[in-house]
Amino acid sequence: MNQAKVSVLVPVYGVERYIAQCAESLFLQTYEDIEYIFVDDCTPDDSIGVLNSVLERFPQRQQQVTILHHEQNKGLGAARLTALQAATGDYVMHVDSDDALPTDAVTMLIEKARATNSDITDGGYAMMCNGQLTKRYMPFEGSKTKFLKLLLCQNIVLSMVWARLYKRDLYTRYQIMPVPGIDYAEDLAIMPRLYFHASRSVVQAVVYHYRDDSAASFTNVTMKDKTKRSYLQANAQVFRFYEEHDPQGNFRYPLELGYISVLRMARRNQIPMKQVDEVCAFRPQHLSTRLVATVMGSSCPLGIASLLYRCVRKAYTSLSFEH
């Protein structure tokens, strides 16, 4: 079997403290046929200078590295799109520039992907805090249909773009691309749409080290007005996609549970329900989800509304899936 080329795509912004460790982990990969595409989204610090310093220590990788520069800051969604459009590999992998990879990550993922001919291959990840690896999370092992339903429910299985390997033509085949302007929850905007079309395999090993002590990380973003709108727009992308591509309603109930999760996030972050309605334009159809959505969008204490939501979601995930 001929070796497949892998494109590793890395957006760069405000990661001067972390990018050296990230780049070292990428250039030390045991897999050889990799192209590295870094996108400088007008970073205000010396991230690119640090990156170039690291690259000087890896002369064997220098011809494999491309650094693209945005003329103005465009945000994470646009940076991911720029990197993806420049990629020439058979497969692509997304890496955030404050994270890192185990040295055999690409090898493990590509071997599984090629053995199974999967469109997307999922791996596990470990939390990285103050230089130490802590809790580990393995990918969900089960049918793609069940996985996708759990993904649509939200907050059950991983929706991030990292810790996964993709066939590059999966994006182009279905014209599902990162969306400029959707910079918070940009993963959520794209993953449920990709998985609708994709075949899936898993590697039960850690292939990604996710930094949770970085101010730039997804979980440490403060929800300002622009962030709130990005979150709603990401969900709106998914709701519109499934209403168009799933007319039989095979995924309708978990999609409605995901909508209730949006309402809960809106209440937690003081997003007006009117704004949710304007951006998402979605309504549950099932009696149980209509009831929970009504309670979640009302003045009922959030703790009580959340308890009702969790009970309905647990009942669905426990009893409703086909085995």
Side-chain angles (χ1 to χ4, degrees):
M1 183 182 293
N2 294 330
Q3 193 170 49
K5 183 178 180 181
V6 177
S7 301
V8 176
L9 314 180
V10 190
V12 179
Y13 185 86
V15 287
E16 182 179 352
R17 291 175 56 193
Y18 310 112
I19 195 168
Q21 182 180 6
C22 175
E24 288 172 1
S25 77
L26 299 183
F27 300 149
L28 286 169
Q29 288 298 301
T30 57
Y31 196 76
E32 291 298 326
D33 196 0
I34 300 176
E35 71 170 358
Y36 302 92
I37 300 176
F38 296 87
V39 178
D40 171 18
D41 193 29
C42 291
T43 184
D45 59 9
D46 194 34
S47 294
I48 299 302
V50 174
L51 170 60
N52 282 320
S53 295
V54 174
L55 185 56
E56 289 177 0
R57 295 191 275 113
F58 294 89
Q60 75 279 14
R61 292 293 196 187
Q62 289 177 7
Q63 295 302 312
Q64 298 172 268
V65 174
T66 299
I67 302 177
L68 304 175
H69 302 273
H70 282 169
E71 293 183 359
Q72 61 185 27
N73 177 254
K74 296 182 178 180
L76 182 56
R80 291 208 198 280
L81 178 61
T82 295
L84 187 58
Q85 289 175 331
T88 61
D90 304 291
Y91 294 84
V92 299
M93 186 175 184
H94 299 277
V95 177
D96 287 348
S97 48
D98 53 349
D99 297 334
L101 301 184
T103 57
D104 58 349
V106 176
T107 297
M108 287 191 292
L109 287 167
I110 194 68
E111 286 180 352
K112 185 69 171 186
R114 301 203 76 190
T116 57
N117 195 30
S118 301
D119 292 314
I120 303 177
T121 301
D122 291 356
Y125 68 100
M127 306 299 286
M128 180 171 58
C129 185
N130 298 321
Q132 301 295 317
L133 297 180
T134 57
K135 196 168 183 179
R136 288 165 168 77
Y137 299 88
M138 291 298 110
F140 173 81
E141 188 93 55
S143 72
K144 190 199 85 168
T145 297
K146 184 171 182 178
F147 172 81
L148 186 49
K149 288 179 178 180
L150 292 172
L151 186 65
L152 290 170
C153 285
Q154 300 196 23
N155 305 313
I156 299 177
V157 297
L158 181 68
S159 64
M160 305 305 188
V161 296
W162 39 259
R164 297 183 157 111
L165 185 75
Y166 310 76
K167 282 186 179 178
R168 184 169 63 88
D169 73 351
L170 177 65
Y171 289 92
T172 56
R173 235 183 298 159
Y174 300 104
Q175 285 301 297
I176 298 174
M177 296 288 184
V179 181
I182 298 183
D183 304 316
Y184 180 85
E186 90 290 348
D187 320 74
L188 182 60
I190 199 166
M191 294 310 302
R193 295 187 290 146
L194 282 178
Y195 271 116
F196 181 83
H197 296 294
S199 56
R200 175 180 182 263
S201 62
V202 300
V203 171
Q204 291 295 339
V206 170
V207 300
Y208 198 89
H209 296 161
Y210 174 73
R211 186 184 303 277
D212 68 349
D213 59 346
S214 165
S217 71
F218 177 90
T219 53
N220 291 323
V221 174
T222 301
M223 265 205 162
K224 299 178 181 179
D225 288 345
K226 183 178 180 181
T227 310
K228 294 173 182 177
R229 186 158 191 88
S230 177
Y231 172 73
L232 295 179
Q233 289 173 332
N235 281 280
Q237 290 271 336
V238 177
F239 296 144
R240 286 195 296 268
F241 176 89
Y242 276 83
E243 289 187 322
E244 178 183 351
H245 290 84
D246 182 32
Q248 299 84 9
N250 295 325
F251 296 97
R252 181 74 194 194
Y253 198 90
L255 194 67
E256 292 177 6
L257 289 173
Y259 173 74
I260 297 169
S261 180
V262 173
L263 297 180
R264 183 172 64 161
M265 179 71 86
R267 287 195 59 181
R268 284 176 172 170
N269 292 277
Q270 299 180 326
I271 303 174
M273 291 299 158
K274 182 179 180 181
Q275 185 179 1
V276 177
D277 289 341
E278 289 174 351
V279 177
C280 292
F282 183 84
R283 290 290 183 276
Q285 297 176 351
H286 294 83
L287 179 61
S288 57
T289 50
R290 289 207 313 269
L291 171 63
V292 180
T294 299
V295 172
M296 189 65 73
S298 73
S299 59
C300 174
L302 181 56
I304 295 175
S306 295
L307 177 61
L308 177 61
Y309 158 67
R310 288 194 300 269
C311 289
V312 171
R313 189 180 71 176
K314 184 175 181 180
Y316 173 71
T317 57
S318 298
L319 302 175
S320 299
F321 289 130
E322 295 181 2
H323 297 285

